[in-house]
Amino acid sequence: MSYYLKKNWKLTSIVCFFQVVVWGLQAGVQLLLMQTFDAAMKFDFKRFMFWTLISLLSWGAYFALCALLDYFQSHAIRTMNNQVRHDLSLALLNRNYKDFHHQDSGEYISWMTNNIKQIEKLAWDPFFNSVGRIAQVLWSMIVLFSLHWSLLLASLVSSAIMLLLPKLFDKKMEQMGQRCSDAEANAVSRLKDLLLGTDVLRCFNKTEQFLKQSDSVSDQIEKPNCKLTYTKSAVNSVMSFVSVVIQILSDILIVALAFQGKIMPAVLAGGSNLFAGVTNGLNRFANLRLSISASKPYFEKIKHCDETQAHENPALSNLHDKISLENISFQYDKKPILDKMNCTFEIGKKYALIGPSGCGKSTLLKILLGWLPDYTGTILLDGKDAKNYTTDQLQQQMSYIEQDVFLFNTTIRENITLGETFTEAQLQKALHDSALAGDLAAMPDGLDTVVGEEGRNLSGGQKQRVAIARALIHNRSILLVDEGTSALDQKNADIVEQSLLANPDLTLILISHHLTDEGKQRFDKVYELQPVACAAR
């Protein structure tokens, strides 16, 4: 929390300044009220009207400053919320493949949405309001001291009580905030899974199950928040009762001083409000501290993400010789997938990986990409250990086309270029080599056709062709293809494969489950993988 407040110290200082000025003006208005009341008690109409006019002008200034305060405070909160999201996004980008996929995407969505709103509600608003409440207490004390020292002494005693009392609840509120955060993240993940499976439940006429699970997720979100809210309310009730007791005692003190002639009777009009400014201000400050305590688990997530951030690395020089795999072994949860695998991929040549499902073909590609660093053995890139390079450096030369293609919910053009600028010639070549040009001709909007969520407006084959065009246009020298033509008809599959095989500057490593004897002849080498084994053919 303090990191973002310090990072935006100019903006937060402006907000704090207005908080101090606004509450100072409100305390000053109480002094004006005493003067107005004193003139009324002495039947001095002229003086009464004068102080009434000054009071009106002061209230006008107060509300104007409140409007400025709201403007700068909302701007500060918006800025810090955006920075938190930016840091979360950066942290996710710097997670390795295994760590990133260890958690469900629904939880990450919760971090970017629910957690940010909770931070705003439990941290930013309470912090700025805490500054205001402290200012309210201090201004009220200053004015009380100007009236009589005993009023200040009484306010200090009440301050001590109101500050020490909430410490009894800090630990409990922090624990409840943690439970809220965890429950929300889990609920969002469950909700995402439920929505993605809606068609399956409909198909099997399980609409009641959908509603039941939806209601369960909803209550999972609301229950911890409800408990946190009414617990805060219960604590607030205790604090409010103590505040009322202190305020009644202060009224008794003011009346006693007025009877003794030590303060003017008009203090009765505003003195009680000033004392209330101390007790209520401290009461509110105590509750705001509880909110800030409940926000700590949300910032701990951000702190954890910040620790994963990596420094930028220089670009990896283009490979010119070969990629060598020596005694590569890998296992998922103690289940061996690859065992002492040895093979070589020479730059510019074309390779196929074949074998039954589960023998490690896709795993091998992900190891080459740097996504699965927990392998044993050695991968040499032109004689240099691949572990000396980051995933980003490896992906500067490698492009990956997976079997289950993901497309963004935007146009075909944007899915191919990913926001980068290419010449028309580059674009047309990628469309031709991916066999996508024919599909675009039949689409009214061509390249500007919106693909829909997860590419649902396109067929499986069209999605694969878009992914192939995306890989080709970005001109990576090494292309890893995981069943990238499985959804294409034989004619288009031949066109795409022939284009990839004919490119002399491209190193191709392609996974296929159905490679004919004739097809094998097109590759420089075919590696056939067996479960926990690899043999060159």
Side-chain angles (χ1 to χ4, degrees):
M1 176 178 173
S2 59
Y3 167 79
Y4 295 100
L5 294 172
K6 291 176 182 177
K7 187 174 183 179
N8 298 279
W9 68 270
K10 290 183 179 179
L11 195 53
T12 54
S13 295
I14 292 173
V15 178
C16 292
F17 170 77
F18 276 106
Q19 287 279 7
V20 172
V21 173
V22 162
W23 286 106
L25 190 54
Q26 189 178 87
V29 168
Q30 299 304 318
L31 281 175
L32 296 176
L33 177 61
M34 294 178 199
Q35 293 293 337
T36 303
F37 188 65
D38 185 63
M41 291 177 64
K42 295 177 180 178
F43 301 102
D44 188 340
F45 183 75
K46 184 176 181 180
R47 183 164 164 257
F48 171 78
M49 291 302 298
F50 172 79
W51 287 114
T52 299
L53 178 61
I54 296 298
S55 296
L56 285 173
L57 292 174
S58 298
W59 278 116
Y62 169 80
F63 288 118
L65 289 172
C66 283
L68 285 173
L69 170 61
D70 289 341
Y71 170 79
F72 284 109
Q73 184 166 319
S74 61
H75 185 61
I77 290 173
R78 172 190 172 189
T79 300
M80 290 188 290
N81 281 349
N82 285 335
Q83 288 174 350
V84 171
R85 285 195 183 93
H86 175 82
D87 288 347
L88 283 171
S89 299
L90 184 61
L92 292 179
L93 282 175
N94 284 291
R95 283 190 166 193
N96 62 43
Y97 177 88
K98 188 175 181 179
D99 288 343
F100 180 84
H101 290 281
H102 180 70
Q103 290 174 287
D104 189 83
S105 59
E107 185 167 350
Y108 296 139
I109 293 172
S110 177
W111 289 9
M112 296 289 191
T113 54
N114 293 338
N115 283 20
I116 300 298
K117 290 304 176 185
Q118 288 294 337
I119 285 173
E120 180 178 332
K121 183 174 73 173
L122 299 176
W124 306 142
D125 280 334
F127 170 77
F128 290 125
N129 290 334
S130 293
V131 172
R133 293 301 178 173
I134 292 172
Q136 177 189 18
V137 171
L138 292 176
W139 281 117
S140 297
M141 285 182 171
I142 290 171
V143 176
L144 286 171
F145 179 72
S146 70
L147 296 172
H148 196 269
W149 65 267
S150 62
L151 296 178
L152 174 61
L153 180 61
S155 69
L156 290 174
V157 173
S158 66
S159 299
I161 295 172
M162 298 301 292
L163 286 174
L164 292 175
L165 193 59
K167 289 186 177 294
L168 301 174
F169 307 100
D170 276 358
K171 188 72 174 179
K172 182 176 180 63
M173 296 305 297
E174 184 174 341
Q175 292 173 347
M176 293 188 70
Q178 178 68 62
R179 286 195 288 269
C180 273
S181 173
D182 294 342
E184 286 170 354
N186 182 263
V188 170
S189 179
R190 285 182 59 198
L191 182 60
K192 175 176 175 285
D193 187 61
L194 180 62
L195 292 174
L196 290 174
T198 301
D199 289 340
V200 174
L201 294 175
R202 281 178 173 172
C203 182
F204 289 94
N205 197 27
K206 299 290 185 180
T207 53
E208 289 186 5
Q209 183 177 342
F210 178 88
L211 292 173
K212 183 179 180 180
Q213 291 188 31
S214 177
D215 291 342
S216 174
V217 170
S218 177
D219 193 54
Q220 184 179 349
I221 295 172
E222 296 300 330
K223 187 175 181 179
N225 275 307
C226 177
K227 188 173 182 180
L228 179 61
T229 299
Y230 69 65
T231 301
K232 285 175 62 179
S233 178
V235 173
N236 184 46
S237 296
V238 173
M239 299 295 295
S240 297
F241 176 75
V242 174
S243 177
V244 169
V245 171
I246 292 174
Q247 192 168 334
I248 290 173
L249 293 175
S250 70
D251 290 339
I252 295 173
L253 176 60
I254 291 172
V255 171
L257 291 172
F259 284 169
Q260 296 173 22
K262 294 181 179 180
I263 58 175
M264 61 182 180
V267 174
L268 290 168
S272 181
N273 291 338
L274 289 169
F275 226 106
V278 175
T279 55
N280 292 341
L282 288 172
N283 181 28
R284 182 59 182 149
F285 174 69
N287 280 281
L288 293 169
R289 283 185 64 248
L290 292 175
S291 292
I292 293 173
S293 295
S295 75
K296 288 181 180 179
Y298 297 97
F299 285 102
E300 286 173 359
K301 284 188 174 70
I302 302 171
K303 181 180 179 182
H304 171 74
C305 291
D306 286 342
E307 291 171 354
T308 67
Q309 292 180 3
H311 298 290
E312 292 185 2
N313 295 281
L316 175 64
S317 301
N318 288 336
L319 300 182
H320 299 287
D321 187 13
K322 62 185 177 181
I323 300 173
S324 301
L325 281 70
E326 301 177 356
N327 297 317
I328 298 299
S329 299
F330 186 84
Q331 58 184 17
Y332 284 111
D333 297 325
K334 299 182 179 181
K335 178 184 178 182
I337 303 298
L338 298 172
D339 183 29
K340 296 182 179 180
M341 176 180 177
N342 293 276
C343 57
T344 300
F345 303 109
E346 295 183 30
I347 300 303
K349 292 190 176 181
K350 313 299 184 284
Y351 299 86
L353 302 178
I354 62 174
S357 297
C359 69
K361 301 185 297 298
S362 298
T363 298
L364 178 60
L365 297 191
K366 291 174 181 177
I367 289 175
L368 290 174
L369 285 164
W371 290 1
L372 300 174
D374 299 330
Y375 62 87
T376 60
T378 305
I379 298 178
L380 299 175
L381 307 176
D382 283 352
K384 297 180 181 178
D385 195 334
K387 288 190 174 180
N388 294 330
Y389 303 105
T390 66
T391 303
D392 287 342
Q393 288 176 304
L394 295 174
Q395 291 178 165
Q396 288 166 3
Q397 293 198 32
M398 300 181 188
S399 187
Y400 178 56
I401 301 176
E402 55 188 333
Q403 185 173 4
D404 187 14
V405 172
F406 176 81
L407 298 182
F408 294 96
N409 187 9
T410 182
T411 64
I412 293 177
R413 184 192 304 274
E414 285 295 318
N415 271 287
I416 292 174
T417 64
L418 297 177
E420 195 172 335
T421 301
F422 295 96
T423 65
E424 186 63 24
Q426 289 174 312
L427 188 57
Q428 292 304 318
K429 186 176 188 307
L431 297 177
H432 176 270
D433 292 347
S434 63
L436 185 60
D439 292 278
L440 294 176
M443 298 179 186
D445 296 324
L447 277 170
D448 295 318
T449 299
V450 176
V451 304
E453 184 178 355
E454 297 185 357
R456 65 175 55 187
N457 295 338
L458 305 182
S459 67
Q462 289 170 334
K463 288 169 63 176
Q464 286 193 324
R465 287 193 281 277
V466 171
I468 293 168
R470 177 164 62 197
L472 293 175
I473 202 169
H474 283 86
N475 198 30
R476 295 294 191 266
S477 59
I478 302 170
L479 182 60
L480 312 180
V481 184
D482 190 349
E483 289 288 341
T485 60
S486 60
L488 305 183
D489 57 67
Q490 191 60 49
K491 178 181 177 181
N492 282 318
D494 289 341
I495 293 174
V496 171
E497 286 188 8
Q498 186 58 42
S499 173
L500 298 178
L501 293 168
N503 188 338
D505 300 321
L506 182 68
T507 303
L508 177 66
I509 305 175
L510 181 145
I511 291 176
S512 178
H513 285 94
H514 307 289
L515 196 60
T516 63
D517 290 337
E518 182 182 353
K520 293 177 183 178
Q521 302 304 315
R522 300 179 183 179
F523 293 87
D524 293 292
K525 199 165 200 177
V526 176
Y527 285 100
E528 183 173 0
L529 281 68
Q530 297 296 333
V532 198
C534 176
R537 176 179 286 184

